[in-house]
């Protein structure tokens, strides 16, 4: 989670919402890491989770990330939760809950839908305090116009 938090802080420095993500292999090795780059890339899909999952698939040579863990500082949205399910990750570990857009238990629960053929384990609240601090500071500064 610390790597993801460091990436989130970097995203805030370049003006993007501070979210960082890493993908760990089944053996715990780091497959990929990414931060939000929506502003940098002018791409609405450039969420940290999607970028990290894409990079992990490239690293492994397979879109199936069976046994992998997605670690992210903020609860994934519907797009990112869907990408995690489709990539077949074994678990999602996240920091701060997202009551406005969270899709792994807060607003929706995409990943636990029994109709899906892949349902990753979800572990929330890991590094939540640090992640929440980054997000709160970012949006306070953003709203003040700095």
């Amino acid at each position: 989670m610390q790597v993801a938090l460091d990436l989130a802080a970097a995203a805030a420095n370049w003006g993007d919402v501070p979210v960082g993500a890493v993908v760990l292999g089944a053996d715990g090795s780091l497959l990929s890491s990414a931060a939000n780059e929506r502003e940098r890339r002018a791409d609405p899909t450039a969420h940290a989770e999607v970028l990290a999952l894409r990079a992990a698939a490239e690293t492994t040579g397979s879109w199936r990330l069976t046994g992998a863990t997605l670690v992210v500082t903020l609860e994934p949205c519907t797009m990112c939760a869907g990408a995690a399910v489709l990539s077949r990750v074994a678990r999602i570990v996240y920091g701060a809950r997202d009551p406005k857009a969270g899709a792994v238990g807060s607003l929706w629960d995409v990943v636990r839908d029994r109709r899906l053929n892949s349902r990753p384990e979800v572990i929330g609240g890991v590094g939540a305090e640090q992640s929440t601090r980054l997000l709160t500071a970012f949006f306070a500064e953003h709203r003040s116009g700095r």
Side-chain angles (χ1 to χ4, degrees):
M1 181 60 80
Q2 189 56 56
V3 172
L5 287 163
D6 293 344
L7 289 162
N13 288 336
W14 63 61
D16 218 320
V17 176
V19 179
V22 299
V23 178
L24 304 173
D27 63 356
S29 63
L30 180 67
L31 296 177
S32 65
S33 61
N36 266 359
E37 292 192 25
R38 292 180 311 164
E39 298 298 332
R40 271 185 152 178
R41 296 181 184 213
D43 178 354
T45 69
H47 289 205
E49 302 95 308
V50 169
L51 298 175
L53 289 167
R54 286 177 184 162
E58 190 171 318
T59 297
T60 63
S62 175
W63 63 267
R64 290 179 188 88
L65 299 175
T66 308
T69 300
L70 172 64
V71 180
V72 60
T73 58
L74 179 64
E75 180 182 358
C77 68
T78 54
M79 175 182 67
C80 295
V85 168
L86 293 173
S87 71
R88 309 292 197 267
V89 297
R91 79 195 46 76
I92 299 169
V93 177
Y94 73 87
R97 289 181 68 244
D98 186 353
K100 292 182 179 180
V104 295
S106 290
L107 185 58
W108 296 287
D109 203 350
V110 171
V111 299
R112 291 187 192 103
D113 189 317
R114 292 183 139 333
R115 296 169 291 184
L116 299 174
N117 64 347
S118 177
R119 290 185 300 278
E121 172 187 13
V122 175
I123 302 167
V126 178
E129 188 175 311
Q130 301 96 311
S131 183
T132 299
R133 271 198 310 266
L134 283 170
L135 289 159
T136 301
F138 175 82
F139 285 112
E141 186 173 314
H142 186 73
R143 287 184 189 108
S144 72
R146 290 184 199 166

